Amino acid sequence: MAQRATRRVRLLAATGAAVAALALTACENGTGTRDEGASAPATTAPQSANPTPTPKTSEASTGNTGTGTTGSGTARSTPSPVSDTATKNTRQPGSSGTSRVLCNGSNTTVTAQPLSRPLNHLLLTVRNTGSRTCDLTYYPVLRFDEMQWVPQPDEATHPQAVTTLAPGESGYAGVLLTAADGSGDGGTTGKKLTVAFQGMTPNSSGGASATPPLPAKGVYYDSSLRVTYWQRNQDDVLDW
């Protein structure tokens, strides 16, 4: 009897140890063990009595510079004012108003007058007969009869600004026919003169050419032939 009682006590002790080991194993959470007891209630942050709402950013206001919002939050665009000056200054050539055109044989009359002083010179006069202001650009491109070369300009006569003619106004250019010292060669008499006009870039066409009449006997010229740039004042040509 005594042996049987002792065996039972040992069996109960072993059983209790196994149950405790199982309980400890079940409580493992990777950071240690915790006591088997009542679970602690979750801690909840206290609610503010007067919570402050988080402001919302209007989707319409992001990335839209220069726009405002109405009371309902809807974006309203504010147009940029257009400058009246910018509008007035964007007139294109050929439009009405104060825009200018090129002077050429279609809107001017051209005369060619031989001069006694300075000797061996020809005065070209271009009068604006159109209704709009025109520009005389660079220098006249001359051709006597079937001449195959172009007289070059005297760079010393280059004006500071383009010669501009209002309706009724005139511009001038001088033509040196022969050198005073007789250094030119290949002299001949021209019976017909063609005056061509240049465009806004050198050697470009400015439009219709002109054929001013020459004296019946023609004009004598040689390899000294050269011209001035178009001038606003006649005296600048007569003093050349």
Side-chain angles (χ1 to χ4, degrees):
M1 292 291 292
Q3 293 179 352
R4 186 178 298 175
T6 300
R7 190 180 296 122
R8 182 178 297 176
V9 170
R10 291 176 177 173
L11 179 61
L12 290 174
T15 303
V19 171
L22 289 173
L24 288 173
T25 302
C27 292
E28 286 290 333
N29 61 3
T31 60
T33 61
R34 63 182 180 182
D35 190 14
E36 290 294 325
S39 300
T43 302
T44 304
Q47 296 291 333
S48 175
N50 296 309
T52 302
T54 302
K56 296 182 179 180
T57 302
S58 172
E59 293 180 358
S61 65
T62 58
N64 293 329
T65 304
T67 59
T69 57
T70 63
S72 61
T74 304
R76 181 175 58 191
S77 174
T78 303
S80 300
V82 178
S83 171
D84 291 336
T85 302
T87 302
K88 293 177 181 178
N89 292 337
T90 55
R91 294 190 180 100
Q92 299 298 318
S95 64
S96 60
T98 60
S99 61
R100 303 201 302 262
V101 296
L102 291 171
C103 301
N104 56 44
S106 67
N107 54 17
T108 64
T109 56
V110 182
T111 60
Q113 177 186 354
L115 298 175
S116 57
R117 298 186 62 184
L119 189 64
N120 303 329
H121 279 66
L122 194 68
L123 173 66
L124 298 180
T125 302
V126 176
R127 183 174 181 272
N128 182 359
T129 57
S131 60
R132 297 162 66 180
T133 299
C134 69
D135 290 334
L136 274 172
T137 56
Y138 305 106
Y139 54 89
V141 179
L142 304 185
R143 183 182 184 187
F144 284 101
D145 300 321
E146 302 301 321
M147 189 170 64
Q148 299 299 311
W149 54 282
V150 176
Q152 294 303 297
D154 181 355
E155 292 298 333
T157 65
H158 199 303
Q160 294 183 350
V162 174
T163 298
T164 300
L165 306 179
E169 291 184 335
S170 297
Y172 308 91
V175 181
L176 174 63
L177 299 171
T178 61
D181 59 3
S183 59
D185 55 20
T188 186
T189 299
K191 298 290 188 178
K192 177 183 178 182
L193 173 63
T194 300
V195 179
F197 298 84
Q198 299 191 59
M200 297 307 295
T201 57
N203 302 316
S204 63
S205 175
S209 57
T211 54
L214 295 175
K217 65 178 182 179
V219 293
Y220 182 83
Y221 69 93
D222 60 22
S223 61
S224 303
L225 184 66
R226 59 179 178 158
V227 299
T228 68
Y229 281 79
W230 292 113
Q231 305 294 321
R232 187 72 176 80
N233 298 315
Q234 187 182 70
D235 289 342
D236 293 335
V237 174
L238 298 179
D239 293 339
W240 178 51

